[in-house]
Amino acid sequence: MSGETGTRWGRVGAEPAPEHEGCRVKTWPNPARQRIRETRAGRRGGLAALAAVLLGMGAHPASAEYRISAGDTLEVTALSIPAFKQEATVGIDGTIMVPLLGEVPAVGLTLTELRQILQKSLPAKAVRQRNSDGKESIAVIEPDEIGVRIAKYQPVYLSGDVTKQGEHPFHPGMTVRQAIALAGGYNLLRFRMENPVVETANLRAEYDSVWASIARESANVWRLKAIIAAARADKAPAPPPAATDAALGAPGSRATVAQKLAEQQLRLQISDITKEKEHLQRSLARSQTQLASLTEQQAKEKEGVTADADEYDQVRALFQRGAVVTTRLTDARRSVLLSSTRALQTLVQVTQLERDKSDVARKLERVDDQQALDALEKLQVAESNLTALRSRLNSVNDKLVYTGALRTQLLSGSRARASLAVFRQNKTSPDKIDAAEETELQPGDVVEVLLKPDPALRGIGDGTGQN
């Protein structure tokens, strides 16, 4: 208690006592005590009657057996002092602050039990108060004048398909229906989506877009399979894209456009492959012709080298006998060297040409293999995309059916069925109570509202919708 409060409260009939810092005890001589007793006796009957009336008003049937919980706000009053009013919120430790007593346990008690505790704990008290004229007067608080009421209960909480979720004030006798009304009523537009009227248009556009993507990706798959089949002589060509789109059920306009584009791409790609192969074949033919020419030249060069070598041997023999001059021997040696050089150059050209021919032949063999390998990699990605698009299409289709049925339900004014559950805290863990709209609530209850769609919507969203 503060020092100011301590100066106003004193024990009636107490012996004089020294003043303490922050708290002075006021005493009176016997005449003052006699006047107080006379005043108390005169008003005791009226106060008792007023207390009975107020207590009768506070004994509401809904709160008669209600036990105080943390979060409740209690109001403690004294009937003889209208200005005296103390509101205190029950803390998480289960206590409230009461003047002259301090912290008093309150959780788990009824209002009657708490009032009895306060009456036993509070002795007769006298309060010195100042009136409007500035004069001081003395008022006495008797234990039976103490009043206790719940000024504010814990709120109730609503979650789920209501317009305004969160906490809402509680009043005695509140039902689930009243709490939902405080929350703005059921919210039919909270079926995990936006406004179904607007959402239907958005979903329809998305549905068309996904279908177009499926038709395009299906044609792409057909094109890649056709390339792979063309690269493998042992595999028959793939069916035309129209059959694939028809099997998917794609609209004719989308299938036709995608088919034409795929056919054009396939023709261009096959034409490019054919041109590449023809170019390599021409290169291979030129290499073959050059190789044949160089091979013939190489044979002649070998003959020339042999002839020049024989001539050189003859000239050297004559030179040793002195039959020819040195110049003749030098010319013969030069001829051998020249023919040997030409033969070596021809051999190098033949070797290089054979290598180039082998490379061209290998490129020609790899044209189909490389095209098939690239097509296989792209086909894997395309089929994965096609699977994802089909799943997305099923999802959009289910949403379309769902929103369409919900829109019809909203426009027809039919009412959704609500599943109501109340979670009520007990000593250990919350209890789940299956509730109805007329179920009475208690402070601190959590109400979960789940709207169930029309039975016509059953199965939607679980993959069973039509594609």
Side-chain angles (χ1 to χ4, degrees):
M1 300 300 296
S2 63
E4 181 182 355
T5 305
T7 61
R8 295 188 176 184
W9 294 80
R11 180 78 176 269
V12 177
E15 296 298 330
E19 294 185 355
H20 298 279
E21 183 179 358
C23 180
R24 299 196 304 272
V25 179
K26 183 68 177 180
T27 61
W28 297 271
N30 290 338
R33 185 189 311 170
Q34 183 64 29
R35 288 196 301 271
I36 291 174
R37 288 177 179 175
E38 291 174 356
T39 303
R40 183 190 309 166
R43 69 173 65 157
R44 188 183 301 259
L47 293 178
L50 182 58
V53 172
L54 292 179
L55 290 177
M57 294 173 59
H60 192 281
S63 61
E65 297 300 327
Y66 174 69
R67 296 193 175 274
I68 300 170
S69 301
D72 291 338
T73 300
L74 304 181
E75 181 183 274
V76 181
T77 58
L79 299 180
S80 61
I81 308 178
F84 176 80
K85 180 183 294 186
Q86 175 73 19
E87 285 194 3
T89 301
V90 181
I92 57 175
D93 59 351
T95 62
I96 60 171
M97 181 63 68
V98 179
L100 301 178
L101 293 180
E103 294 183 348
V104 176
V107 168
L109 302 177
T110 64
L111 291 177
T112 302
E113 293 171 346
L114 178 60
R115 183 171 180 274
Q116 291 174 353
I117 292 176
L118 296 179
Q119 287 176 339
K120 293 178 181 179
S121 302
L122 281 172
K125 297 294 180 179
V127 179
R128 186 175 64 181
Q129 55 185 356
R130 192 180 299 274
N131 56 24
S132 59
D133 299 333
K135 297 181 180 180
E136 290 187 351
S137 60
I138 299 175
V140 179
I141 298 178
E142 291 288 345
D144 55 2
E145 298 174 356
I146 298 297
V148 181
R149 75 178 187 91
I150 298 180
K152 183 179 179 182
Y153 291 90
Q154 299 180 74
V156 293
Y157 303 87
L158 278 84
S159 64
D161 297 320
V162 292
T163 302
K164 183 181 178 182
Q165 302 183 31
E167 67 175 41
H168 298 277
F170 173 86
H171 62 79
M174 173 181 281
T175 63
V176 173
R177 184 193 301 274
Q178 294 170 346
I180 293 175
L182 283 177
Y186 295 115
N187 188 359
L188 294 177
L189 301 184
R190 291 194 66 256
F191 277 112
R192 309 297 183 262
M193 62 177 63
E194 301 295 333
N195 189 316
V197 179
V198 178
E199 189 71 9
T200 299
N202 296 335
L203 290 174
R204 175 56 62 183
E206 184 179 359
Y207 183 87
D208 293 339
S209 175
V210 174
W211 253 133
S213 299
I214 287 180
R216 183 173 58 252
E217 203 66 34
S218 299
N220 187 37
V221 169
W222 169 83
R223 179 181 62 83
L224 294 173
K225 288 183 177 179
I227 293 174
I228 296 172
R232 299 178 181 177
D234 58 339
K235 187 171 182 180
T244 304
D245 290 331
L248 285 173
S253 59
R254 302 192 191 100
T256 302
V257 172
Q259 174 182 347
K260 290 180 178 179
L261 291 176
E263 289 176 349
Q264 292 176 2
Q265 289 178 350
L266 180 61
R267 282 196 297 268
L268 290 174
Q269 194 165 1
I270 291 180
S271 175
D272 183 68
I273 295 173
T274 302
K275 291 179 181 179
E276 179 69 16
K277 293 171 68 175
E278 290 176 353
H279 171 71
L280 292 175
Q281 288 173 351
R282 287 195 298 269
S283 298
L284 185 61
R286 285 195 300 269
S287 298
Q288 185 67 30
T289 301
Q290 291 176 1
L291 182 61
S293 177
L294 287 175
T295 301
E296 183 179 356
Q297 182 180 350
Q298 184 181 21
K300 292 179 180 180
E301 294 291 343
K302 285 183 179 180
E303 292 177 357
V305 170
T306 302
D308 289 342
D310 292 343
E311 183 181 0
Y312 174 74
D313 291 340
Q314 293 175 2
V315 171
R316 188 176 60 176
L318 292 175
F319 178 77
Q320 289 176 351
R321 290 195 300 268
V324 296
V325 295
T326 304
T327 307
R328 180 73 180 87
L329 179 63
T330 302
D331 292 340
R333 184 184 297 112
R334 186 179 296 110
S335 298
V336 172
L337 291 176
L338 182 60
S339 60
S340 298
T341 301
R342 286 199 301 267
L344 182 60
Q345 291 175 349
T346 304
L347 177 61
V348 171
Q349 290 177 354
V350 169
T351 303
Q352 181 64 36
L353 191 58
E354 287 179 344
R355 184 182 298 110
D356 293 344
K357 176 186 175 182
S358 177
D359 291 343
V360 173
R362 177 56 183 157
K363 288 181 180 179
L364 183 59
E365 293 175 355
R366 291 188 58 188
V367 168
D368 292 334
D369 294 339
Q370 187 64 39
Q371 291 293 332
L373 181 60
D374 294 342
L376 281 173
E377 293 179 355
K378 294 179 181 179
L379 179 62
Q380 183 178 6
V381 176
E383 288 183 339
S384 176
N385 293 339
L386 187 58
T387 301
L389 287 171
R390 286 170 177 166
S391 299
R392 183 181 171 189
L393 183 67
N394 290 336
S395 174
V396 174
N397 182 73
D398 286 345
K399 289 180 180 179
L400 269 174
V401 178
Y402 187 86
T403 51
L406 180 59
R407 182 180 61 177
T408 303
Q409 182 178 354
L410 289 175
L411 295 178
S412 63
S414 59
R415 185 176 182 182
R417 296 180 298 110
S419 174
L420 305 174
V422 175
F423 295 87
R424 183 166 296 162
Q425 185 68 36
N426 57 24
K427 295 182 179 179
T428 56
S429 61
D431 292 332
K432 181 179 180 181
I433 303 172
D434 293 332
E437 291 185 339
E438 303 306 325
T439 301
E440 288 196 8
L441 298 177
Q442 293 185 8
D445 283 351
V446 178
V447 182
E448 184 179 82
V449 180
L450 177 62
L451 289 179
K452 295 182 178 180
D454 190 87
L457 302 181
R458 291 179 181 175
I460 297 174
D462 56 5
T464 60
Q466 297 178 353
N467 295 330

